[in-house]
Amino acid sequence: MTSQLDKATAFRALHARPGAFIIPNPWDAGTAKLLAAMGFEALATTSLGVANTLGSGGVSLDVILANARAIVEATDLPVSVDLENCGADEPKRAAEAIRRAAEAGAVGGSIEDFSGDRDRPIYDFSHAVERVQAAVEVARALPIPFTLTARAENFLHGRRDIDDTIRRLQAFEAAGADVLYAPGLYDLATIRTFVSSLGKPFNHVMGFADPTLTLAQLSAAGVKRISVGGAMSRYALAAFLKSGREMKENGSFTYVREMAPIKELRDAFASISPP
């Protein structure tokens, strides 16, 4: 069993080496084991994937952390947690989510400026920065080098303001965040604009981007970390819906030709004890 300190150190090293790396997003222990078996070097949780599993429109911080612990315990890979807005508006209360993520075994986690309030979705600039500052303080007090990611959510909530989004990320960087993240960027030129405006590693999520972009292109543009958010969960559900519709509408079962091989699943799940 790899120690949390070793995982945290390995995770930091991924961000320091040349080129970009892919950090895929499992939503449970099984998908985490499958990704580890494929040879990925780190994992990130997805709150959307958890919500999809539970058939819910959203999930609480407690559920997010329980899911994170299950994924941490499934493999020896470093895990970063999608903490959404950290479950609170007030900076010090939100920052507690960082400590709780570390207690769950994670070596990284995110804090974002989406408030959860659909009427006022983005925290005011100064408040958003204070939240990141508080999260940084907690992260730095941990006994491991916890990698804190700060997210600017403008593009996901109808505020496609490049200048304001970069201003926020620059302020989060100055506050001490280790990784910067602006979900919703689509094209390579915009991504380059963001990367060139920042000094810290940049995470790009492919779930909202031009799907023709490649690891090589994003790496050349200066992206350090590539995630997919809830995209793999949604892709899996697309296959589920397709198979259900085939049975309901056609009374046929041709989808069984594309089932995952039982041996591949058993090999990946071999280290998981039966419940």
Side-chain angles (χ1 to χ4, degrees), residues 32 55 67 107 142 206 211 217 231:
N67 172 258
V107 298
L142 294 171
M206 280 301 300
Q217 288 174 313

Side-chain angles (χ1 to χ4, degrees), residues 170-212:
Q170 289 174 334
F172 298 163
E173 179 178 357
D178 302 301
V179 178
L180 290 315
Y181 185 2
L185 307 186
Y186 185 80
D187 61 278
L188 201 57
T190 303
I191 294 166
R192 285 197 189 100
T193 297
F194 274 76
V195 171
S196 65
S197 301
L198 303 166
K200 293 284 186 69
F202 184 78
N203 183 104
H204 178 67
V205 59
M206 280 301 300
F208 304 99
D210 177 355
T212 66

Side-chain angles (χ1 to χ4, degrees), residues 101-124:
E103 289 176 349
V107 298
S110 61
I111 183 168
E112 63 189 44
D113 61 3
F114 172 54
S115 67
D117 181 347
R118 297 294 172 180
D119 293 326
R120 297 186 62 185
I122 304 298
Y123 289 117
D124 291 341

Side-chain angles (χ1 to χ4, degrees), residues 102-178:
E103 289 176 349
V107 298
S110 61
I111 183 168
E112 63 189 44
D113 61 3
F114 172 54
S115 67
D117 181 347
R118 297 294 172 180
D119 293 326
R120 297 186 62 185
I122 304 298
Y123 289 117
D124 291 341
F125 177 83
S126 60
H127 186 64
V129 174
E130 287 175 12
R131 285 165 45 82
V132 174
Q133 289 170 335
V136 168
E137 288 180 12
V138 171
R140 296 296 173 264
L142 294 171
I144 61 167
F146 189 92
T147 299
L148 179 70
T149 298
R151 300 172 43 143
E153 304 285 296
N154 275 343
F155 274 58
L156 294 187
H157 300 282
R159 294 175 52 165
R160 303 185 68 81
D161 186 330
I162 291 177
D163 291 340
D164 180 65
T165 308
I166 289 176
R167 175 175 173 248
R168 286 169 177 266
L169 292 178
Q170 289 174 334
F172 298 163
E173 179 178 357
D178 302 301

Side-chain angles (χ1 to χ4, degrees), residues 33 40 102 158 224:
K33 291 293 293 184
F40 287 100
K224 178 56 61 178

